[in-house]
Amino acid sequence: MPPGDTRQRMIETASRLFQRDGYHATSWRGLVEEAQAPWGSIHHHFPGGKEELGVAAIEAGSDAVAAAITYAFASTRTPAGAIERLFSTSAALMEASGYETACPVASVAVASAHESPALTTASRTAFRRWEDELADRLAAGGVPRRRAPALAGHVMTLLEGALVRARVHGSAQPLRDAGSLAADLVRQAAAP
Amino acid sequence: MPPGDTRQRMIETASRLFQRDGYHATSWRGLVEEAQAPWGSIHHHFPGGKEELGVAAIEAGSDAVAAAITYAFASTRTPAGAIERLFSTSAALMEASGYETACPVASVAVASAHESPALTTASRTAFRRWEDELADRLAAGGVPRRRAPALAGHVMTLLEGALVRARVHGSAQPLRDAGSLAADLVRQAAAP
């Protein structure tokens, strides 16, 4: 298969296993086997080993959440509706995974913050990107510009916290509840 | 030293390392060394090994957060003030740890949900306990009883999400921001 496929499949597999089992519980060997990647090409794609793959998984997670934000705003007519859609998409993913999904960045970041500056930097960059993107879109949707960054922060806090509670409770309800609250906050902030 | 001390120190050390490094990255050997526990007595205290210690760490974390809730309500005059204190206590702990603290339950639960029913059950029990405790205290503080459970859920979502964002950003600001929002929500719900 083309080399690009191997690299991409390694990243997708890593992201899924990091979310399900955590970064540390996922062994390099298990990853290679699950991705059905040829051993020979792996060190070519990730000479930095698991840490380099961790950074790639964080960057892929960053792209995926940014795309979910873009989709939510493109497919709804109000910023409150977009925020509600962002949470309902997460709720659907959580249910479809049997409650084994998690934030693709936090699942790597929280366990590795102590040991890897590269993973810490990649995670922080991803969170800032989402928060900036959300703030810009909220401001474009009618939220006063000066209030947009704090509101974007609240939305991200609610999303991250609801992912944790949904996982622990084995229920998507926390994501739906948090989505309603986040949409209310946006509606209030965007009110003329 | 008395056997109770060894057990207690093992649990405290485990809780700290699970929060800092994650459940999986913390080895049984590293734990024993860090706790300076005699090898001979460890299997006596935790015949079920790391999983049993994980359950004990979750239960200790459950007690610690429940105590923080009790303290917050005992040391303030309004439920909104209590919620703000709960978050400011977390912010202070996060700063004091150099941003290496985390929810003592989520840090074990999220990485282990796939593999250990015992850890999943213990985590869910802890979250339910906190949410029930918060709902009772909010209702006692003037929040209409029917609204208290949902409000308690929002408070926990904000706390868990802010812990994740504080860790990733290396800043206690997300905890302070989330505390202000949570206190506002409680104030609104408790208004006559």
Side-chain angles (χ1 to χ4, degrees):
Chain A
M1 74 201 74
D5 284 5
T6 299
R7 184 182 155 80
Q8 193 51 37
R9 205 168 56 246
M10 286 283 286
I11 295 172
E12 282 165 12
T13 304
S15 186
R16 184 166 52 80
L17 297 186
F18 292 162
Q19 288 179 58
R20 190 186 74 182
D21 302 334
Y23 175 72
H24 285 289
T26 305
S27 72
W28 184 248
R29 172 176 286 278
L31 235 158
V32 169
E33 280 167 12
E34 180 100 6
Q36 298 186 291
W39 273 96
S41 68
I42 291 159
H43 289 280
H44 166 70
H45 289 302
F46 299 101
K50 191 171 152 189
E51 185 182 32
E52 187 177 349
L53 183 54
V55 169
I58 287 174
E59 289 170 350
S62 174
D63 289 345
V65 173
I69 293 171
T70 300
Y71 166 75
F73 278 85
S75 62
T76 51
R77 293 201 293 179
T78 64
I83 294 302
E84 192 127 35
R85 173 136 322 164
L86 183 63
F87 282 76
S88 66
T89 303
S90 296
L93 284 172
M94 181 61 82
E95 284 175 329
S97 74
Y99 309 100
E100 290 188 344
T101 188
C103 170
V105 171
S107 56
V108 178
V110 170
S112 65
H114 182 63
E115 67 184 38
S116 165
L119 293 171
T120 300
T121 301
S123 310
R124 204 167 287 174
T125 302
F127 270 58
R128 286 196 184 133
R129 173 189 182 186
W130 301 338
E131 290 162 18
D132 288 347
E133 178 76 22
L134 270 175
D136 287 347
R137 297 212 175 239
L138 291 170
V143 171
R145 181 70 240 184
R146 71 182 188 288
R147 298 184 60 184
L151 186 58
H154 289 327
V155 170
M156 282 309 305
T157 293
L158 286 165
L159 184 57
E160 292 294 334
L163 285 166
V164 170
R165 286 185 65 229
R167 178 86 178 238
V168 169
H169 284 301
S171 161
Q173 196 57 44
L175 281 159
R176 296 207 189 84
D177 293 344
S180 294
L181 173 58
D184 280 347
L185 295 174
V186 169
R187 214 171 280 121
Q188 285 163 26
Chain B
M1 74 202 72
D5 284 5
T6 300
R7 183 183 156 79
Q8 193 52 37
R9 204 169 55 247
M10 286 282 286
I11 294 173
E12 282 165 12
T13 304
S15 187
R16 184 166 52 79
L17 296 186
F18 292 162
Q19 288 178 58
R20 191 186 75 181
D21 302 334
Y23 175 70
H24 285 289
T26 305
S27 72
W28 184 249
R29 172 175 288 278
L31 235 159
V32 169
E33 280 167 12
E34 179 99 7
Q36 297 187 292
W39 273 97
S41 68
I42 290 159
H43 289 281
H44 166 70
H45 289 302
F46 299 101
K50 191 171 152 189
E51 185 181 32
E52 186 177 348
L53 183 53
V55 169
I58 287 175
E59 289 170 351
S62 174
D63 289 345
V65 173
I69 293 171
T70 300
Y71 166 75
F73 278 86
S75 62
T76 50
R77 292 201 295 179
T78 64
I83 295 301
E84 192 127 35
R85 172 135 325 162
L86 183 63
F87 282 77
S88 66
T89 302
S90 295
L93 284 171
M94 181 61 80
E95 284 175 329
S97 74
Y99 308 99
E100 290 188 345
T101 188
C103 171
V105 172
S107 57
V108 179
V110 171
S112 65
H114 181 63
E115 66 182 40
S116 166
L119 294 170
T120 301
T121 301
S123 310
R124 203 168 288 176
T125 302
F127 270 58
R128 285 197 184 135
R129 174 189 181 186
W130 301 338
E131 290 163 19
D132 288 347
E133 178 77 21
L134 270 175
D136 288 347
R137 299 216 174 237
L138 291 171
V143 171
R145 181 71 240 184
R146 70 184 187 288
R147 298 183 62 183
L151 186 59
H154 289 327
V155 171
M156 282 309 304
T157 293
L158 286 165
L159 184 57
E160 292 293 335
L163 285 166
V164 169
R165 285 185 65 229
R167 178 87 178 239
V168 168
H169 285 301
S171 160
Q173 195 58 43
L175 281 159
R176 295 206 191 83
D177 293 343
S180 295
L181 173 58
D184 279 348
L185 294 174
V186 169
R187 213 171 281 118
Q188 285 163 26

